[in-house]
Amino acid sequence: MTPASLLATETPKKGSGFNFLTYPLALGILLIAISNLMRIALTLKSAGTADYNLASISAVFAIGLFYDLVNALYFVLPLMLMGWLTPGWLAIKPGYKWLANGLLFLLTFVLLLDAVSEWIFWDEFESRFNFIAVDYLVYTNEVLGNIRQSYPVEIIIIFLLILTILLTWMLTTIIAKHPFQPFSFWKRSVVTGIYSGVLIAAYFFVDNKVRQFSSNNYVNELAGNGMYELFAAYRNNELDYNQFYSTVSDQKAFVDIHALIKTRESHFVDQDPFSIRRDIVNLGPELRKNVVLISVESLSAEFLGSFGNTQRITPFLDSLAGESLLFTNLYATGTRTVRGLEALSIGTPPTPGQSIVRRPHNEELFSMGTVFKRKGYQTRFIYGGYGYFDNMGYFFGHNDYRVVDRNAISKEEIDFENIWGVADENLFELAMREIENGTQAGKPIFTQIMTTSNHRPYTYPDGRIDIPSHTSREGAVKYTDYAIGQFIKKASQKPWFKNTLFLIVADHCASSAGKTDLPVDRYKIPLIAYAPGFVKPGIMPRLMSQIDLGPTILGLLHFSYRSQFFGYDIFKLEAGRERAFISTYQSLGYIKHDSLVILKPQRVNGTFLPNFKDGSLRPVTSNKRLVEEAIAWYQSASFQFKKGLMKK
């Protein structure tokens, strides 16, 4: 049977046809069947880590069915509208059959494509679609290119088209056997009105919180419906802190935050109760060293031998760590590159929803670029991809950095590239050229380099390492380690090397998914500070947030400056005041001592004792003082950005 004959099935005679609800019902049943098959597949895929039991599995499929039904209400809307507006006499015409079967074919293909996309997304993030998927819809070139380079897309599409033809043939064959029941326009309107009422009620009264019934995050994700989660993420892509989270008065939040960020080397400079401007005074002559900050894509601490890994995939970094100051208790603020870049550049706790890097009105913010520029430095943000991705170019270009990206590299200079950008070794060649040109101009330089190779599809030039390209995350990690090693070795031969501080840190971990909503072990990242003759090799074990890196660098250089950062100089902070922030786009975590406070929408708070090795959480009685501290940090950061107070 050809597609043409499929779409033009024999026109049924009166008494052997269908009614206007048959197509929506058939599509809805198909959606529920595919969704449950996908739920079964994902359950089996994650069986080794999810720790299921009979009760949780039963709840997964019961709640999952509820979300499948809600999703079906949305998904069958085109067929419902077509049936409502089509008179009975027209519904038995061949033209209508072509249109109805064609629309059924298209929607069936969308269902199958969504199922495959869910599998791919789960493979990367171990979750249903979320706001990351919404972001990816914006950057279709990079995302589709990444998928094409990672999976046999053409074969998958052909398979889906064949399966769609078979399913559509099966459905249309079944539909043709149903007795024809012509509905008057009034009756069709009544039925459609009831459907619309249920749909509107679902829109306003159903959200994705129903599935969050367990302390096991895998179970909660499985209970969802991927397509519905994508819709929910689109609706909640930006969250107003005061609307969704526990609050105190703004005045109290800033009284608390003033006490929390005040340190011995700082004092506030104005009487504005909502300002955190303060002068940082560091003793001794300022050290005008070059600073090269390498933010490495997805470099979890667990990849390094220095943190116990036995795979030997970071031989250079492990060797360098022995000659450097290694920070062993540092936590990323989030799960996305833009969240890491936000923390490293403007030193603020993560605000719910989108990273500030991606938000409007993010120009002229007080940043590391601002401080270094005021000190007479040249500033650079160097990226191996195109700066428009994730709004990185705009953000850094409007916040005291000069952006240098893929456009600055000629084709002849590229050994290898994938959809995310050039190979890391070519990125570092570009960085070397920029640093050379900068230092020759007679001014010190602050350079932040953002790598890309440790990212699916995990491809890189052949012959560099002993793991073939496009085989594994471990290969990409080892290649990036190789590229950093080549860069540092070449830099060591340059005249500016002895006057340069190198810092190597991750933007975030390779995976943030776990049994809990905020598994603390999936946020630990490495930081290596390397400057022979300046930074003494050793271990820094104190708890530290990614937002503390900027003030700590400036402290190492003995810089005195006016600060708007929320972060601490870890070397000058009194013992016992350490804390860290971890987050998803909705859940906001605050680590202090041995406790974790989590703030969630609907003003839900919890205090836990986390297991820092496996990420599990044990609920404990709420610690009022720690909860209020967490609220002060997050509420004041959200207030500052919303009111434009982060601007320099």
Side-chain angles (χ1 to χ4, degrees):
M1 177 177 288
T2 65
S5 61
L6 166 67
L7 297 179
T9 52
E10 181 182 354
T11 302
K13 297 178 182 179
K14 188 172 181 179
S16 63
F18 53 89
N19 64 56
F20 90 104
L21 289 175
T22 307
Y23 276 96
L25 287 173
L27 183 64
I29 291 170
L30 181 63
L31 183 152
I32 292 169
I34 291 174
S35 297
N36 274 284
L37 287 173
M38 178 54 56
R39 192 168 287 112
I40 292 169
L42 294 178
T43 300
L44 295 174
K45 180 178 178 63
S46 56
T49 54
D51 192 22
Y52 305 128
N53 55 50
L54 181 60
S56 63
I57 289 295
S58 300
V60 160
F61 283 89
I63 295 173
L65 177 61
F66 169 74
Y67 279 112
D68 295 343
L69 289 169
V70 172
N71 186 43
L73 286 173
Y74 291 105
F75 198 71
V76 303
L77 179 61
L79 288 172
M80 284 294 297
L81 292 177
M82 185 177 70
W84 172 50
L85 296 173
T86 304
W89 63 267
L90 183 59
I92 60 174
K93 299 293 183 181
Y96 178 83
K97 291 289 294 180
W98 274 86
L99 180 62
N101 290 351
L103 186 55
L104 184 63
F105 177 89
L106 176 63
L107 293 174
T108 299
F109 179 77
V110 170
L111 281 178
L112 294 173
L113 184 63
D114 172 76
V116 172
S117 301
E118 278 196 66
W119 180 271
I120 293 172
F121 193 83
W122 188 283
D123 196 43
E124 180 76 12
F125 299 103
E126 295 184 287
S127 75
R128 296 285 192 174
F129 290 141
N130 53 34
F131 89 108
I132 297 174
V134 175
D135 284 353
Y136 278 6
L137 292 176
V138 177
Y139 299 102
T140 53
N141 180 57
E142 284 80 3
V143 174
L144 292 179
N146 178 37
I147 293 172
R148 288 178 63 86
Q149 293 173 1
S150 303
Y151 301 93
V153 173
E154 291 79 7
I155 295 175
I156 292 173
I157 293 297
I158 291 172
F159 173 76
L160 292 182
L161 285 172
I162 293 173
L163 186 57
T164 302
I165 290 172
L166 292 174
L167 287 173
T168 308
W169 172 80
M170 180 185 72
L171 290 176
T172 53
T173 300
I174 294 172
I175 288 171
K177 296 178 179 179
H178 281 70
F180 180 70
Q181 296 178 357
F183 280 34
S184 67
F185 179 73
W186 182 84
K187 288 183 178 179
R188 295 199 306 274
S189 297
V190 170
V191 174
T192 304
I194 295 172
Y195 159 79
S196 299
V198 175
L199 182 64
I200 291 170
Y203 179 85
F204 284 106
F205 298 110
V206 176
D207 59 26
N208 64 350
K209 303 300 185 297
V210 177
R211 68 173 176 82
Q212 296 174 5
F213 68 96
S214 171
S215 60
N216 185 327
N217 199 54
Y218 285 109
V219 171
N220 294 337
E221 292 292 335
L222 290 168
N225 175 286
M227 196 177 294
Y228 179 82
E229 291 300 319
L230 183 66
F231 171 72
Y234 177 80
R235 290 177 64 187
N236 299 305
N237 209 12
E238 289 194 14
L239 298 173
D240 180 85
Y241 181 89
N242 284 55
Q243 179 180 352
F244 291 100
Y245 294 84
S246 293
T247 61
V248 294
S249 70
D250 290 326
Q251 289 76 11
K252 175 174 170 47
F254 276 88
V255 168
D256 290 348
I257 204 64
H258 284 163
L260 289 167
I261 64 173
K262 178 73 172 70
T263 53
R264 291 176 295 185
E265 76 278 12
S266 70
H267 64 272
F268 293 97
V269 298
D270 57 42
Q271 300 301 312
D272 183 348
F274 302 118
S275 169
I276 63 168
R277 285 186 176 88
R278 58 208 187 278
D279 282 337
I280 308 296
V281 179
N282 284 301
L283 302 178
E286 292 188 349
L287 304 174
R288 295 174 62 78
K289 291 184 176 292
N290 304 305
V291 177
V292 178
L293 173 60
I294 303 172
S295 43
V296 183
E297 173 69 42
S298 304
L299 186 66
S300 305
E302 65 182 4
F303 292 145
L304 276 68
S306 308
F307 289 83
N309 188 288
T310 59
Q311 297 172 292
R312 293 190 56 78
I313 55 177
T314 57
F316 177 77
L317 291 178
D318 290 327
S319 173
L320 189 70
E323 305 172 35
S324 310
L325 182 61
L326 177 65
F327 295 73
T328 60
N329 206 11
L330 172 66
Y331 287 83
T333 59
T335 62
R336 297 289 312 283
T337 294
V338 285
R339 194 60 90 179
L341 295 178
E342 168 192 272
L344 295 171
S345 60
I346 61 174
T348 181
T351 52
Q354 283 281 14
S355 163
I356 288 172
V357 174
R358 293 285 313 279
R359 292 192 186 183
H361 313 301
N362 64 2
E363 309 87 356
E364 301 301 317
L365 303 179
F366 179 81
S367 70
M368 287 288 285
T370 305
V371 177
F372 278 107
K373 206 167 184 180
R374 288 174 179 175
K375 295 292 183 181
Y377 277 63
Q378 303 165 81
T379 60
R380 303 280 192 279
F381 174 73
I382 304 177
Y383 178 54
Y386 291 103
Y388 72 82
F389 182 73
D390 262 344
N391 205 44
M392 288 186 284
Y394 184 89
F395 173 79
F396 282 98
H398 287 79
N399 287 293
D400 291 315
Y401 295 78
R402 184 164 76 82
V403 176
V404 184
D405 67 1
R406 166 71 179 76
N407 290 301
I409 309 175
S410 66
K411 291 183 178 179
E412 294 72 27
E413 296 175 296
I414 299 174
D415 290 287
F416 184 89
E417 64 179 323
N418 59 29
I419 196 64
W420 297 112
V422 300
D424 282 349
E425 62 191 85
N426 297 137
L427 165 66
F428 286 119
E429 288 165 0
L430 171 63
M432 186 75 73
R433 186 172 72 208
E434 287 293 319
I435 296 169
E436 288 274 287
N437 293 339
T439 55
Q440 289 174 7
K443 289 184 176 182
I445 187 168
F446 167 60
T447 301
Q448 180 168 350
I449 305 167
M450 182 66 229
T451 73
T452 61
S453 290
N454 184 23
H455 197 297
R456 193 181 296 276
Y458 312 133
T459 53
Y460 40 84
D462 293 325
R464 290 352 187 229
I465 60 171
D466 57 1
I467 301 176
S469 172
H470 202 185
T471 56
S472 65
R473 165 82 73 178
E474 287 74 20
V477 171
K478 193 165 189 175
Y479 170 71
T480 294
D481 176 84
Y482 161 84
I484 294 173
Q486 294 297 106
F487 172 66
I488 297 292
K489 290 170 186 175
K490 290 178 182 178
S492 68
Q493 306 301 314
K494 302 295 183 180
W496 46 266
F497 173 78
K498 292 183 179 179
N499 192 45
T500 300
L501 169 62
F502 295 89
L503 298 121
I504 302 168
V505 68
D507 58 348
H508 58 85
C509 284
S511 173
S512 61
K515 295 178 184 179
T516 62
D517 192 26
L518 290 176
V520 293
D521 61 317
R522 302 297 181 92
Y523 287 83
K524 181 175 277 193
I525 57 174
L527 168 61
I528 296 172
Y530 175 64
F534 172 50
V535 175
K536 185 179 179 181
I539 300 292
M540 167 54 79
R542 297 179 68 183
L543 177 65
M544 186 174 171
S545 172
Q546 207 172 21
I547 75 170
D548 299 326
L549 183 52
T552 298
I553 294 171
L554 299 174
L556 281 170
L557 300 176
H558 299 168
F559 280 5
S560 295
Y561 60 101
R562 181 156 294 179
S563 177
Q564 294 173 235
F565 296 134
F566 283 82
Y568 294 135
D569 177 350
I570 196 65
F571 293 108
K572 296 188 175 63
L573 185 68
E574 304 96 314
R577 293 185 61 189
E578 305 92 339
R579 47 78 197 108
F581 308 94
I582 60 176
S583 71
T584 63
Y585 76 105
Q586 285 191 342
S587 297
L588 307 175
Y590 179 63
I591 302 172
K592 192 166 186 181
H593 306 310
D594 60 350
S595 298
L596 170 67
V597 173
I598 300 180
L599 309 179
K600 290 187 176 185
Q602 276 80 45
R603 308 185 190 281
V604 174
N605 310 319
T607 305
F608 304 86
L609 288 180
N611 184 316
F612 289 91
K613 292 184 178 180
D614 66 14
S616 60
L617 300 178
R618 179 162 65 87
V620 294
T621 302
S622 180
N623 185 318
K624 182 180 178 182
R625 180 180 60 82
L626 284 184
V627 170
E628 288 183 348
E629 283 188 16
I631 291 172
W633 285 103
Y634 284 113
Q635 184 175 333
S636 59
S638 297
F639 181 96
Q640 282 246 314
F641 180 74
K642 185 176 182 180
K643 300 296 184 181
L645 298 176
M646 288 186 182
K647 295 187 182 293
K648 58 189 178 183

